[in-house]
Amino acid sequence: MTAVGCVFPAAPSGNGRTLFSGDSVDDAAPKDQNPGEQAAEEKTPDSLVIPAPSDGQLPPTTPAEWIGRTAPDFVLLDSKGERHQLSEQKSDIVVLEWSSIVCSFVNRHYSRVSLQATSRSYQGKGVTWFGIDSSFYPIAHPIKVEKWVADRRVPHPVLLDPEGIVGEAFGVTVTPTIVILKGGKVAFFGAIDDDIWGRKSDSRSFLIEALDLLLAGEPVAETTPVPYGTSVAYLSVETARRAAREKARQEREAEAAAGSSPKTPR
């Protein structure tokens, strides 16, 4: 390996991301502090993305464009503080599962123990599995994530990407999203299954289908099923939102000051 979505329709939150019931950036982040400033107050996991060398093609911008392309290498710390580098993994097949502890869709899968069982089963077949949380700090606070990992009995490391550089490098937009690598190249990029609301009795698992085909040495039939879920709470988006809100506040104050200033008599 060389070194380095789509959102199901929902009501817009008005702050640059899509929210579903039970998910809120504002509930998790202090309102009087810039997320970048807060991250500086307490050490958060270091992260690094090393882009793949140019292959003469334009950088991929959609899941379909990622299929067959070399994945960027990256270094992230997990919720326990242990370092993981993608290119150091020995497995031919690597699952990157973007998740968030505040995403109701992710929690639905984990409350049913479906992802834990799938992860444990395929790790037993030699597949490497990483969860990745690209939410900005403190939504993905290491202590909160580690408690979630323990409570849910997650059998794989959950890597923290507080600056969002790995998630943005792959172009992940929602959680949950699955990216499967085979030989360092992207072989699958999309939804876990076709059961958006968790109500189907005969749901189709795109994840399991893809892993079984790859382990059998066969091409994946459905490589880019549209992912559904909650928009990733990227630091860049939150920073821009807060900057826009501050600019609007300053403009309102300037207008109020101009309106209250004494008028010059004619």
Side-chain angles (χ1 to χ4, degrees):
M1 178 181 295
T2 53
V4 158
C6 300
V7 182
F8 187 79
S13 66
N15 62 9
R17 68 183 289 256
T18 302
L19 297 181
F20 289 85
S21 176
D23 300 321
S24 172
V25 168
D26 289 327
D27 288 344
K31 297 178 173 54
D32 59 349
Q33 196 167 24
N34 182 284
E37 295 174 348
Q38 179 153 3
E41 290 185 359
E42 183 171 338
K43 182 175 176 57
T44 57
D46 296 327
S47 52
L48 170 69
V49 174
I50 308 168
S54 174
D55 55 7
Q57 302 181 63
L58 293 174
T61 58
T62 66
E65 292 176 0
W66 268 109
I67 301 301
R69 301 288 292 272
T70 300
D73 192 15
F74 61 80
V75 177
L76 290 175
L77 301 183
D78 65 21
S79 57
K80 292 183 171 66
E82 297 178 3
R83 175 187 179 278
H84 300 270
Q85 182 162 355
L86 181 60
S87 59
E88 293 178 353
Q89 306 311 308
K90 306 299 183 184
S91 302
D92 187 46
I93 299 175
V94 178
V95 173
L96 305 177
E97 174 213 323
W98 263 269
S99 60
S100 169
I101 63 174
V102 298
C103 173
S104 56
F105 292 86
V106 169
N107 279 300
R108 185 188 75 213
H109 282 286
Y110 277 97
S111 65
R112 296 179 176 180
V113 201
S114 56
L115 275 178
Q116 296 95 314
T118 303
S119 171
R120 193 174 293 109
S121 172
Y122 285 93
Q123 286 187 76
K125 299 175 183 179
V127 172
T128 294
W129 195 302
F130 290 121
I132 301 178
D133 194 331
S134 294
S135 307
F136 69 84
Y137 179 93
I139 293 178
H141 191 295
I143 294 176
K144 293 180 181 177
V145 175
E146 182 57 23
K147 183 179 186 304
W148 183 85
V149 168
D151 290 346
R152 299 293 190 186
R153 298 184 179 180
V154 179
H156 52 260
V158 175
L159 313 184
L160 304 183
D161 178 29
E163 295 179 354
I165 61 174
V166 176
E168 289 181 334
F170 279 88
V172 173
T173 59
V174 300
T175 56
T177 292
I178 299 290
V179 176
I180 305 177
L181 310 178
K182 170 127 175 119
K185 296 182 182 296
V186 177
F188 177 93
F189 193 137
I192 292 174
D193 57 27
D194 66 349
D195 192 6
I196 295 172
W197 303 116
R199 298 169 184 164
K200 289 186 176 182
S201 59
D202 58 346
S203 62
R204 176 184 178 187
S205 175
F206 300 119
L207 169 59
I208 291 176
E209 286 182 13
L211 287 172
D212 285 344
L213 288 168
L214 290 171
L215 286 169
E218 299 177 13
V220 177
E222 188 84 24
T223 58
T224 57
V226 179
Y228 59 85
T230 307
S231 293
V232 179
Y234 282 121
L235 175 63
S236 59
V237 174
E238 179 65 6
T239 300
R241 183 185 76 88
R242 289 176 179 243
R245 188 171 65 182
E246 176 61 19
K247 180 181 178 181
R249 184 189 66 79
Q250 293 176 356
E251 289 175 348
R252 288 195 301 271
E253 290 182 352
E255 290 175 359
S260 62
S261 59
K263 298 181 179 179
T264 304
R266 295 182 178 180

